[in-house]
Amino acid sequence: MKKLILVKFAPEIFLKGLNRGKFEKKLKDNIKNSIRDLNYEFVEDQGRWFIYSEMMDNVIEKVKNVFGVMEVCKVTQVEASMESIEKQALLDMIESSAKTFKVETNRANKKFSPGSMDVSRKVGGYILQNNEDVSVDVHNPECTINVEIRNMAYIYAKRIKAVGGLPYGMNGSTMLMLSGGIDSPVAGYMMARRGVELNAVYYHSHPYTSERAKDKVKQLTNILKEYTGKLTLYVVPFTEIQMQIIEKCREDELTIIMRRFMMRLACALAEKYGINSVTTGESIGQVASQTMEGLVVSDDVSDRPVFRPLIAMDKVDIIDVSRKIETYETSILPYEDCCTIFVPKHPKTKPRLIEIIKSESVLDIDSLVEKAILEMEIYK
Ligand code: ATP
Ligand code: MG
C-alpha cells in the first residue's frame, strides 16, 4: 500500500492524433520541471502518470498549476486484487465521513476480471456490508469512490481540479505588451495557459514614468514566470517617440498614433527574435482607444496576428482572474503609466486610417523605431 499522486491531463491532449506523443512529452517535462526542487519519483502505469513524494502537498501545489494538467488526486496504490481494492475502498469511504456514495471503476488492465461494472458493484456491496450508516446514491452521491485498475490498482475519493489548458510551449509564441495595469498580465496568462510561449515588452517613458513603475512590471513578469518557467522582458525606451508625437501631431490623435508605435515596436521585436504573434490586454469599449476603429487602425501596422484574449470580457471578470493568478495586488500599485501621462482631453474614438497615416507621416517612423530597439534593456 502506497500513497501516490495521480496526474490527469486535459482530454484535449487525447485529440492530438499523431501529435499526441509530442504533447504528452512536453507536459511530462513541464511537470517534472515544476517540481525539480522537490524529492519525487515519477511512475507510469499503463498510460497513467503518478508521482511519489514525501512532500505530497508541495508537489500537488506545483503540479496543479502546470498548464495541461486537468486534475490531481491523492490515491492509494494497492495490489490489483478484489480483496485489496475492497478493503482500501472501505477505508476511503470511512475517511470521507459521507453518508451516500457510488463507485466508479476504470479498468485499463483487460487481464483483470471481473469487468468494471462488476468491480463497482462488488466494491459497493462490500462497503454496504461493512458500514451500516451509508447508502448508495448513483445520481448525487456525497462521495465517489474511484477505482483504477492497471497493473496495480489505485483507489481515491478526493479530486483536486487543476489549471487545465495545454502544455506550455506547444502552441507557438507571442510578444505580450505588458503594462503595469490589471489587464495585460491576465491576457498573457490566458495565452500561456493555451500553450503559447510568452515574451514581454514594456514601453518605458523615463523620466515621466518612474523606476518604480518599471520595477512593478518586472514584478509582474516574475509572477507570470511562476506559470511559464522562464520569461524574457524587453524594456523599450518610449520617451522620444512620445515627445515627437506630442510636438508634431494633433492632440486628439496622440493616443492612436502612440498605440501604432507600440504595435510597430512589438512586431519589430517579434521579427528580431522569431516570435509569431503579438498579444495585448485590450477589451472592446473599455477606454477611448479600445474602440473597434481604434483597434483596426493599430492593427494596420502589424505584420502578424494580434491576439486580444480579453476582448469580450468584462472588467469585473478580468479582475477575478487577476486575483486568482495573483497579479492583482501588484497591478493596483499606484504608479503612473505612459498612457495616462499624455492623454488628450478629447481623444478620437473613431480614427480613420488614411487620416492617421497622413498625420504621422511628419515623423521619421523607421528611425524612431530602430533607435528605441537599439536602446532597449533585456531582463532574462
Ligand atoms: P492594462 O491594464 O493592461 O494596462 P489598460 O486598460 O490600462 O490595460 P491601455 O492603457 O489602453 O489599457 O493599454 C491597452 C494595452 O496596451 C495594454 O493592455 C497593454 O497590452 C498595452 N500597453 C499599454 N501601455 C503599455 C506599456 N507602457 N508597455 C507595454 N504595453 C502597454
Ligand atoms: Mg494601462
Side-chain angles (χ1 to χ4, degrees), residues 39-292:
N39 259 330
Y40 72 91
E41 190 187 330
F42 196 93
V43 189
E44 291 186 48
D45 187 353
Q46 295 196 315
R48 277 285 198 222
W49 296 353
F50 300 91
I51 298 169
Y52 172 73
S53 174
E54 304 272 320
M55 305 160 94
M56 217 173 196
D57 291 329
N58 305 50
V59 169
I60 288 177
E61 265 321 294
K62 292 283 182 195
V63 173
K64 80 180 206 270
N65 282 325
V66 175
F67 299 132
V69 176
M70 186 184 67
E71 207 171 86
V72 284
C73 316
K74 284 185 188 176
V75 306
T76 308
Q77 181 193 56
V78 298
E79 194 185 302
S81 74
M82 276 315 294
E83 197 192 341
S84 322
I85 293 171
E86 285 169 348
K87 278 196 182 140
Q88 184 56 43
L90 179 62
L91 289 177
D92 275 30
M93 186 64 214
I94 293 167
E95 197 189 326
S96 79
S97 27
K99 291 288 166 233
T100 58
F101 76 100
K102 73 171 173 184
V103 181
E104 271 181 7
T105 304
N106 178 313
R107 185 185 57 123
N109 180 354
K110 298 301 176 198
K111 285 190 228 139
F112 185 93
S113 123
S116 50
M117 294 289 263
D118 283 331
V119 173
S120 295
R121 217 169 288 140
K122 279 175 192 256
V123 172
Y126 183 84
I127 291 174
L128 290 173
Q129 254 173 34
N130 289 280
N131 192 344
E132 285 177 357
D133 301 337
V134 302
S135 60
V136 171
D137 179 349
V138 287
H139 299 296
N140 198 12
E142 279 171 52
C143 170
T144 300
I145 302 286
N146 297 276
V147 178
E148 295 249 354
I149 304 171
R150 313 261 150 174
N151 288 318
M152 300 290 280
Y154 305 87
I155 323 296
Y156 59 99
K158 273 193 226 102
R159 301 160 62 163
I160 302 163
K161 194 171 184 299
V163 62
L166 288 169
Y168 184 73
M170 281 311 282
N171 284 331
S173 54
T174 202
M175 179 57 80
L176 169 68
M177 292 199 218
L178 183 63
S179 70
I182 294 171
D183 302 327
S184 42
V186 172
Y189 170 85
M190 286 174 74
M191 294 304 285
R193 184 174 169 276
R194 291 300 296 173
V196 179
E197 189 187 296
L198 287 192
N199 302 266
V201 57
Y202 168 59
Y203 304 112
H204 188 46
S205 303
H206 174 79
Y208 302 97
T209 47
S210 64
E211 267 319 281
R212 287 189 311 177
K214 184 162 97 183
D215 286 342
K216 175 176 161 182
V217 175
K218 285 193 203 164
Q219 225 169 304
L220 288 169
T221 307
N222 277 332
I223 300 173
L224 286 175
K225 207 178 76 188
E226 287 288 309
Y227 300 95
T228 61
K230 52 186 175 201
L231 178 50
T232 305
L233 172 68
Y234 302 90
V235 176
V236 177
F238 204 56
T239 319
E240 187 170 349
I241 292 174
Q242 282 189 310
M243 288 307 167
Q244 291 267 329
I245 301 174
I246 287 169
E247 195 181 310
K248 297 186 179 154
C249 302
R250 282 176 53 158
E251 202 226 0
D252 61 352
E253 293 176 347
L254 297 184
T255 308
I256 185 65
I257 293 176
M258 184 180 84
R259 298 211 55 82
R260 279 164 65 87
F261 270 95
M262 289 187 175
M263 190 63 81
R264 285 190 188 98
L265 287 163
C267 288
L269 284 177
E271 178 66 32
K272 187 172 160 87
Y273 295 107
I275 295 160
N276 310 127
S277 64
V278 171
T279 296
T280 83
E282 289 160 307
S283 168
I284 194 74
Q286 199 189 75
V287 290
S289 63
Q290 295 174 22
T291 59
M292 195 58 82

Side-chain angles (χ1 to χ4, degrees), residues 19-34:
N19 284 325
R20 179 173 160 182
K22 282 189 209 150
F23 274 78
E24 285 193 17
K25 179 170 185 313
K26 188 72 178 173
L27 180 58
K28 199 187 295 175
D29 289 347
N30 291 351
I31 290 171
K32 289 181 178 175
N33 192 42
S34 78

